[in-house]
Each structure stands twice: as C-alpha cells, then as structure tokens.
Amino acid sequence: MYRAFKEKYPQTIVTYKFYSDVFHTDFPDLRFGRPRSDTCGSCDKYNNKIKACDSTDPDKKNLINALQLHHRKAEKATATLTHDMAESQKINCDTNVITIDLEQVLFLPSLTHSSMFYSRQLSCYNLDVHLSDTESAHMCLWEETLTGRGGNEIASCLFKVLSLENFPKRNKLIVWSDNCIGQNKNKIMLMLFIYLVASGMYDQIEQKFLVSGHSYLPCDRDFAQIERRKKVTKTFVPADIKKMIQGACHKHPFTAITMEAEDFKDFQKMADNILNTTKLQISKVSNIRIDKDNPTLVKTRKTFSDIEEWQVCNVLRKGKTKHNILGLELCLLECKNRISVEKVKNLEDMLDYIPLKYHQFWSSLIEKSKNQANP
C-alpha cells in the first residue's frame, strides 16, 4: 500500500513509519489476511473459471450460482456442527458429540542439522477424539512400526476411546469428521457404528461430514496447541511425543493413549463378511444414522436440511441377520512394520546425533526392522 501511495503521490515526503502509524491508528479494524495454504479445491476451481469468463459469457452466472451453493452447503454444515455442540452442553442432554481427526505426521527424532531435511524419519500418528461437552480430548498415539493409518486404525482408535471406563456414556452419539474416504467415510467406520448399536452400547449413532475444503474442526485447535508446544520441545522417542502432547494444553490437558497391537481390530474383515454397501452410495451422503430398532437399516441424507427425508438402505448381505453381528468376535488386525529398507538406513545414520540414553530404543527398532525386512 505504501508503494502504491508513493507511485500516486511521487512528490510526497511521507515516510513509511509515518504512513504505518496513521494506518494502524486511524484504521484499527483493517487487517491484511495471510494467503491460506489449504484452500478448498472446489472454490479454487469455480473462482478460476469465473475469472476466465468475460462479462458476456452465459456460463459465468451458472458458475457464480454453483459457487454460492457450495458456500451455503459448507455454512449449513458448520452451523449444524455448532448447534450439535451447543445442544450437547445442555443439562440432561442424552447425546455425546465428538469430532475426530488425524493430525499431520509427527516425525522422530526432532533433529535440526541440515541433512535431516533429506532424511527419512520415523512416522508417528495421532488421532484426536474431541468431546464437545467437556472440551476434553483423547489422543491415540502409535508409530509406523506397528501399523499404518487407514480405516481400520481410525475405527480401532475410536473404539478404544469409546470403550474407556471414564468416557461419559449417553444414549446417543454424534460423530463429526471430514470427508476423507480412506479414513472416516467408509464401510469400516459404518461397521464399527453398527456393531456399537447392535451390542447395546448406544441407542443411536449419527456420523456427519463437513464439506471438503471447509472442514475446520475443534480438533484443529487441539493440533495448533500441539504444534506450538512442538516448536519448543525436543522429541527423540515416542514417549517424548506423548509427554509433549500431555503438556500442550493447561486448561484442559489432553489424555494421551498409547495404542498397542491388541488394540487394533480388523473391522474391514467384519464388514466384508457382513455388509453390502453398494446401494448406500456412502461417498455422496452428508449424514448417516443407525438406530437400535434395526441397526442394519442405515438411514442417510445428502444435506443437513430438515426438509429432506431419510433414505433407508439395508446393508446386510444376503443370508445374514442381526444375530450374525452380535455373534461376531472382534478379530485382531494383522499389524505390520511399515518401515522401508531405505528409511532403516537413514535411521542408522542418525544415531550419531541422538543422545546416548536413547540409543537402546533406536538400535532395537533398527534391528527389528531389518529382521522383518529380511526374514
């Protein structure tokens, strides 16, 4: 702005400091927004097409209408989330509202010398289950030495948290998440919710999805606090990450849960044996509901409008009944070390930069990874 001012008034003797002082003093409500790094793909697509159209292009109006409709859907989803969270905080409310999200990968060890930018590190995963009525968060932690971060892992972490003795128990559950097909929006999660309702843990479970590109959840605030803590914390082993997360929030300390191999269940195997979700078209829905009266009749909506009627779909395979679900045993997921041979070599090269007291952990991890890569 100052450069533009100088170009328009080249003879002025106003300095940058004087210009800045006037701007901040006389216009305190004006701010410069920073460019976003995670913009919505649909918004970017529509905006680019609109800019490419001239004023006489007949498609321009249709594009503008499509963009406005997209925004209204995103705003309606966000408003519904806010409403659900507010309702769950009322006295005598019989519904738990949780939001779930997977944090970006946390890497170990946190070394800072230049060669680390080109080295593969140990990937650590953190799933946040945020309970809205108490503003508490359960963080489920595991490493790639145990398993990956697909639908089975997300469902297993959620099942672990909901099964905790100190987790508040209510008749209904609403789960909010983003639209990620591989992790949150799939028949694996559906199998988990059907199992929970059929087994009597909940009378009703709803899963709701924010619009892609506009999926800001309370979990993101939790992750922001962890990121701030990470900037002033050195982490060398998974226990350090757990300690860092536990100390990231002082008002509502996070509960960190270390996931073990026996905590991961194979819900996909159960779903493949019991469910047929072809007619459900789960990728197109915004809201899924399962009731205890008949947990295999899944109700769906494509919007959050109260006017829209529920679509009902029987997701059981032919020859299967509700009793097949009740009789199922939760099979353990076959956990597998995901560390590549190339990463093992990088981890070996890092040993010289890691404090001696952590060498036993890393030497054991490297040796175990080598043995599994070369049985």
Side-chain angles (χ1 to χ4, degrees), residues 79-283:
T80 305
L81 169 60
T82 303
H83 175 267
D84 286 348
M85 293 173 61
E87 288 293 314
S88 71
Q89 296 173 4
K90 292 182 178 179
I91 300 175
N92 298 326
C93 177
D94 66 343
T95 303
N96 275 334
V97 176
I98 64 173
T99 58
I100 62 172
D101 199 10
L102 190 69
E103 188 177 7
Q104 65 180 5
V105 178
L106 301 168
F107 293 106
L108 287 177
S110 60
L111 302 176
T112 54
H113 60 270
S114 58
S115 62
M116 287 303 300
F117 294 103
Y118 308 98
S119 298
R120 301 173 181 87
Q121 296 170 274
L122 179 66
S123 298
C124 301
Y125 308 123
N126 174 31
L127 180 78
D128 182 8
V129 181
H130 186 103
L131 183 61
S132 64
D133 61 319
T134 60
E135 290 298 330
S136 60
H138 291 75
M139 306 285 182
C140 298
L141 309 170
W142 73 99
E143 306 90 50
E144 62 178 329
T145 55
L146 194 58
T147 185
R149 47 175 175 165
N152 268 324
E153 288 79 9
I154 304 303
S156 297
C157 290
L158 182 54
F159 180 69
K160 171 81 172 179
V161 172
L162 296 177
S163 301
L164 293 174
E165 291 185 0
N166 61 348
F167 191 85
K169 295 296 187 295
R170 294 181 178 178
N171 294 329
K172 299 178 182 178
L173 175 69
I174 297 177
V175 181
W176 278 90
S177 67
D178 59 31
N179 257 296
C180 180
I181 298 293
Q183 294 172 346
N184 307 316
K185 197 174 187 181
N186 49 54
K187 67 177 182 180
I188 301 173
M189 293 292 285
L190 183 64
M191 183 72 249
L192 167 64
F193 297 140
I194 291 175
Y195 178 81
L196 292 175
V197 173
S199 61
M201 186 176 290
Y202 290 97
D203 292 343
Q204 184 186 96
I205 294 180
E206 284 192 67
Q207 187 180 17
K208 301 182 180 182
F209 307 96
L210 292 173
V211 174
S212 296
H214 302 268
S215 53
Y216 186 79
L217 295 161
C219 300
D220 295 307
R221 292 196 296 269
D222 298 338
F223 296 151
Q225 295 184 72
I226 293 174
E227 288 298 314
R228 285 196 293 269
R229 185 69 176 179
K230 188 173 71 172
K231 291 179 180 179
V232 296
T233 306
K234 283 283 189 179
T235 53
F236 294 99
V237 293
D240 291 342
I241 288 183
K242 184 175 183 180
K243 184 177 180 181
M244 175 190 71
I245 289 175
Q246 289 172 328
C249 181
H250 300 292
K251 186 175 182 180
H252 299 287
F254 302 141
T255 300
I257 302 170
T258 301
M259 297 292 290
E260 306 292 346
E262 58 269 19
D263 294 324
F264 291 101
K265 313 298 182 182
D266 198 342
F267 288 100
Q268 182 169 4
K269 183 178 180 180
M270 295 170 60
D272 290 341
N273 292 333
I274 298 293
L275 304 183
N276 180 3
T277 58
T278 305
K279 296 181 180 180
L280 192 63
Q281 295 184 321
I282 195 170
S283 62

